[in-house]
Amino acid sequence: MADSIIGAPLDRVDGRLKVTGSARYTAEMPVEHVAYGYLVTSTIASGRIVRLDTAEAEKAPGVLLVMTPSNAMRLPEGGRAGVNPPQGRVLTLLQDERVHYNGQPIAVVVADTFEHARDAAALVRATYAPEPAVLDFQAALPSAYPPGPAQTLGQQPDSRRGDVDAALARSAVRVDAVYTTPYENHNPMEPHNSLAYWEASPGGDGGERLVVYDSTQGVWPCKRALAKTFGLPLERVRVVSYFIGGGFGSKGQPWSHVPLAAMAAKQLGRPVKLVLSRRQMFGPVGQRPNTHQHVVLGAAHDGSLLATRHESTSHTSAIEDWLESCALVTRSLYRSETCETKHRLVKLNLGTPTFMRAPGEATGMFALESALDELAYELGMDPVALRLKNYADVDPEGARPFSSKSLRQCYEEGARRFGWARRSMAPRSMRDGDMLVGWGMASCTRPARTAPASAIARLRPDGRAVVRVGSQDIGTGTYTIITQVAADALGLPVERVRLELGDSDFPEAPVSAGSMTAAAVGTAVHWACVAAREKAARTGLPAEALVTTGPGGRPLSPGAEEGQGQRHTQQGGESQPYSMHSFGAVFVEARVDPELGIIRIPRITGAYAAGRILNAKTARSQMLGAIVYALGQTLFEHTLVDPVTGRIANSDLAEYHVPSNADVGTIDVALIDEVDPHINAIGVKGLGELAMTGVAAAVANAVYHATGKRVRELPITLDKLL
Ligand code: MOS
């Protein structure tokens, strides 16, 4: 029984709760005597607030508090104590009168109902002393500067392997092109929202504990950031998030509205619920920044890459450096004799950018994989054959072996299912009636990340088990897949295992980001369950075990667990000697109307290898979701900034286009069996973002094949084809 649990296409264990509406999201938590907060946001992009007239708002029906820089509580270090780049953001918490972007929170109105708060918020009048704002990314490019080392997720922002210029001089064929991707916003279905209250500290010492129900991708990171921001000991903060309606990176760390809800609750002595409007989600809660990417490739006649150069510039805000690390992927994907990468930043008066599904790869792979396609045409070589020619059997960066790599199988299986062999190479050579037909492909890859985590497993006398982790399910299926991991390790049917998540009172776990939850939380839960089971077998009694894993997924706590961990380590360990990545290949058919420029994508095939698959159904669902999200990136998504005011012009789902059902054709997903003996105890790499990579380039390549027109600027809209 237990053997078949891993990988089984189990229905979501929380499916019934969700479809019956009984899954409680943050804003639905039953808290008594709750008041409603509404953000007031700035209407200039740069400058200072000279006066905030709140008199009218204060007299409005139901208003309880108008919190502004004049009366808001003072926070340690001007509200910056929780800053921890790139994870902990510089927030704007009404500690001063500065305005850094249009849409920045400048006041909070709290009232007895949501409608009263929203109406009164419209009555707050701000007078500003405006200053010149920098809003044009292209024009700002000459001001680009290098990021600090913290901005590149622990890697160097620049890299160099060999002499690229010399290799280019020797190259028979070259590609030299600039690719751009636009400012985008995440738009999860559930808007950001927080419900905060202060309660008597459970310690009974007369102090207060802050409790926040928050729609967050990380209850523990949020708890840590709030504790620092308010100068509280960790045990004086609790963050709860049982269900999350999507985050995609935008809920990876608390933004200003979270402490603001807590500040208002403190000032009012009453719980405050603060929900952002859709418009308010364009600016104060992260974005994918503009990127400008210059790629140069040089190759020999046989297609061997001699030189690769990838220089990327992205924008950040006026208050913080946040980097879209587009060129990291270029260091490891192909065997190239020489390679140089560079990251730069420019400051704009916009909200601070952040991680957005496959940050770095979704954007960087558009440039790199488009350039590979351009090179294939320069060489007259099939795009798959070109990639196979430059297949990296070891990671060229540091020459480390991969813990596992099944990219070759992904190319083969994807091409077979798609029918790639029937493709004719020449642009505009395939038609269906009046429609131009194009087939394009791209590689997919992401690093397989993990992080320390802890879990407690408790075997009860009635033969059931309870497993608790301070992780969260952001909609990806964590409740389900981790239940499967626990059932497998405990040797119990899934019905006898209850997994509890979403509470920082449970053992600490990392942010659900970087597609690392399955690996990080799965490994901790696996070891906790193994330890509890062994203890129960030894003593013949119900048992419990708390296990904490280290950075590579090995248990740190003493006792039986450590023995397990060492055994595992001897099989290959989990980190340093290996380069760990997931891989895939995506094949796209585009149909373009030659007169109207309308693009349709009737079918996509993706073949992916990401270690062991925990649940065939939720895994496939992740890939489908990522491909659809990537279609949005490729064809529609583009946040438009008014060049004078810095106001977002399309800050709603009517004007900010994401794919609808009619935009999505057939998506065929193949998951390649992959055994990775090195990655961690459960063999899992994580896959939530993998399928987000490659799609944009594959579509652009298909559009080129259909039309002969190379679009190097996302989104690929019909005006660019006319
Ligand atoms: Mo995801 S962008 O790593 O939350």
Side-chain angles (χ1 to χ4, degrees):
M1 167 86 209
D3 286 345
S4 62
I5 290 173
I6 298 286
L10 200 69
D11 287 344
R12 287 183 183 233
V13 297
D14 53 344
R16 178 174 291 271
L17 287 177
K18 286 194 169 174
V19 298
T20 57
S22 32
R24 278 212 170 104
Y25 291 78
T26 303
E28 301 170 323
M29 294 304 289
V31 172
E32 278 183 31
H33 202 50
V34 71
Y36 297 80
Y38 199 89
L39 289 182
V40 180
T41 57
S42 66
T43 55
I44 63 162
S46 178
R48 204 165 43 78
I49 302 165
V50 178
R51 194 173 126 77
L52 263 185
D53 184 351
T54 59
E56 228 188 308
E58 277 161 3
K59 281 184 293 192
V63 169
L64 303 164
L65 168 71
V66 181
M67 191 169 77
T68 69
S70 330
N71 65 0
M73 67 188 281
R74 294 299 103 183
L75 298 167
E77 298 177 35
R80 296 194 170 206
V83 177
N84 174 30
Q87 256 85 39
R89 289 286 100 87
V90 175
L91 304 179
T92 53
L93 302 176
L94 314 184
Q95 302 296 293
D96 59 49
E97 278 78 22
R98 300 296 313 173
V99 175
H100 308 282
Y101 64 95
N102 192 319
Q104 174 189 316
I106 55 168
V108 179
V109 175
V110 187
D112 59 346
T113 67
F114 172 76
E115 289 76 11
H116 280 155
R118 186 183 55 190
D119 289 356
L123 302 174
V124 175
R125 300 269 171 264
T127 311
Y128 302 97
E131 288 165 23
V134 185
L135 294 165
D136 184 335
F137 176 63
Q138 290 294 329
L141 284 173
S143 70
Y145 62 96
Q151 270 62 50
T152 333
L153 303 168
Q155 308 215 37
Q156 287 304 317
D158 294 3
S159 74
R160 175 190 290 262
R161 193 172 72 236
D163 186 340
V164 168
D165 285 322
L168 278 173
R170 285 189 281 115
S171 296
V173 175
R174 290 178 205 92
V175 168
D176 184 331
V178 169
Y179 305 85
T180 64
T181 68
Y183 174 4
E184 296 163 23
N185 281 88
H186 306 70
N187 280 302
M189 279 215 281
E190 181 203 20
H192 292 63
N193 64 101
S194 277
L195 197 172
Y197 61 93
W198 298 77
E199 64 178 15
S201 166
D205 52 8
E208 275 190 308
R209 177 163 86 152
L210 169 62
V211 180
V212 180
Y213 295 101
D214 185 36
S215 180
T216 177
Q217 291 174 234
V219 291
W220 263 94
C222 184
K223 169 187 166 113
R224 286 189 174 279
L226 287 172
K228 282 192 190 150
T229 302
F230 286 94
L232 293 167
L234 258 191
E235 63 275 14
R236 291 293 180 84
V237 180
R238 179 183 175 206
V239 177
V240 176
S241 199
Y242 297 129
F243 295 97
I244 298 106
F248 312 112
S250 70
K251 295 173 181 171
Q253 61 281 310
W255 296 94
S256 302
H257 66 281
V258 187
L260 287 174
M263 290 160 66
K266 177 93 174 171
Q267 197 158 335
L268 204 57
R270 183 171 166 177
V272 169
K273 170 156 58 178
L274 202 165
V275 181
L276 268 61
S277 69
R278 182 61 59 178
R279 284 192 190 283
Q280 291 172 341
M281 291 169 66
F282 288 76
V285 291
Q287 55 186 263
R288 199 197 293 276
N290 285 284
T291 76
H292 174 281
Q293 303 178 56
H294 184 190
V295 179
V296 183
L297 301 176
H301 278 300
D302 70 351
S304 309
L305 276 171
L306 303 177
T308 304
R309 177 179 282 142
H310 190 167
E311 297 172 331
S312 173
T313 304
S314 59
H315 84 250
T316 188
S317 67
I319 47 177
E320 187 190 336
D321 284 352
W322 192 90
L323 181 78
E324 179 82 8
S325 39
C326 297
L328 292 185
V329 71
T330 304
R331 299 174 187 175
S332 297
L333 186 50
Y334 297 111
R335 198 184 61 223
S336 176
E337 206 178 286
T338 66
C339 180
E340 207 178 286
T341 66
K342 205 185 257 191
H343 293 93
R344 293 294 178 266
L345 284 170
V346 301
K347 286 195 179 293
L348 296 182
N349 288 102
L350 296 173
T352 304
T354 194
F355 308 94
M356 181 166 167
R357 204 166 191 174
E361 298 89 21
T363 42
M365 296 278 279
F366 167 62
L368 178 64
E369 291 293 290
S370 293
L372 255 285
D373 200 67
E374 299 204 41
L375 182 65
Y377 276 93
E378 290 295 327
L379 290 159
M381 192 169 176
D382 174 79
V384 176
L386 176 62
R387 285 163 174 86
L388 286 169
K389 180 82 195 167
N390 293 288
Y391 197 86
D393 287 304
V394 298
D395 185 344
E397 197 75 5
R400 286 182 304 165
F402 291 105
S403 61
S404 60
K405 179 173 180 175
S406 310
L407 178 54
R408 211 180 283 279
Q409 292 87 322
C410 294
Y411 291 137
E412 280 163 13
E413 179 66 6
R416 188 186 65 74
R417 292 168 85 113
F418 188 83
W420 184 257
R422 297 196 310 273
R423 179 181 187 264
S424 60
M425 182 77 187
R428 297 183 79 95
S429 61
M430 290 167 65
R431 279 178 185 263
D432 182 4
D434 290 340
M435 289 294 154
L436 299 171
V437 176
W439 291 0
M441 61 80 58
S443 304
C444 313
T445 188
R446 278 205 80 253
R449 291 189 198 286
T450 189
S454 42
I456 188 162
R458 191 169 292 147
L459 277 162
R460 304 193 318 193
D462 64 1
R464 293 175 176 271
V466 179
V467 177
R468 288 178 162 170
V469 194
S471 178
Q472 50 284 314
D473 188 332
I474 59 175
T476 47
T478 305
Y479 277 115
T480 309
I481 59 170
I482 302 301
T483 300
Q484 289 172 274
V485 170
D488 174 67
L490 291 165
L492 289 176
V494 285
E495 298 76 26
R496 297 240 201 127
V497 178
R498 191 169 85 233
L499 173 69
E500 297 183 1
L501 301 172
D503 190 333
S504 70
D505 279 354
F506 299 159
E508 181 162 7
V511 61
S512 290
S515 304
M516 67 183 178
T517 302
V521 173
T523 306
V525 164
H526 170 83
W527 291 122
C529 290
V530 166
R533 186 184 184 177
E534 285 184 355
K535 207 183 279 181
R538 220 167 38 238
T539 60
L541 295 169
E544 71 173 40
L546 169 67
V547 168
T548 297
T549 55
R554 188 170 70 243
L556 295 177
S557 16
E561 311 90 79
E562 195 176 62
Q564 291 289 345
Q566 280 160 358
R567 235 166 24 237
H568 164 58
T569 308
Q570 284 156 8
Q571 290 165 3
E574 52 247 325
S575 57
Q576 294 324 321
Y578 296 98
S579 176
M580 299 188 247
H581 299 259
S582 53
F583 293 96
V586 64
F587 297 80
V588 168
E589 176 170 316
R591 286 175 177 239
V592 181
D593 182 322
E595 267 142 34
L596 301 175
I598 294 169
I599 306 163
R600 295 276 175 220
I601 308 297
R603 62 191 189 104
I604 298 181
T605 295
Y608 305 99
R612 199 170 179 206
I613 299 305
L614 293 172
N615 180 318
K617 184 186 283 184
T618 57
R620 178 170 175 274
S621 175
Q622 283 293 293
M623 307 328 263
L624 294 177
I627 289 171
V628 172
Y629 206 110
L631 277 179
Q633 175 203 21
T634 309
L635 299 174
F636 309 116
E637 296 192 44
H638 188 181
T639 305
L640 298 163
V641 179
D642 179 279
V644 176
T645 62
R647 184 187 163 100
I648 307 302
N650 57 342
S651 56
D652 58 55
L653 292 175
E655 298 297 326
Y656 184 94
H657 292 171
V658 296
S660 67
N661 280 334
D663 297 311
V664 181
T666 304
I667 301 177
D668 171 35
V669 170
L671 291 160
I672 308 291
D673 281 330
E674 184 175 66
V675 176
D676 189 322
H678 308 300
I679 190 118
N680 51 45
I682 54 174
V684 167
K685 285 181 176 174
L687 43 68
E689 293 162 290
L690 175 60
M692 180 81 205
T693 72
V695 174
V699 171
N701 299 343
V703 166
Y704 174 75
H705 184 229
T707 64
K709 179 129 178 109
R710 180 66 63 182
V711 182
R712 302 190 182 90
E713 178 190 350
L714 292 184
I716 307 173
T717 44
L718 55 82
D719 51 296
K720 293 169 188 167
L721 294 179
L722 294 176

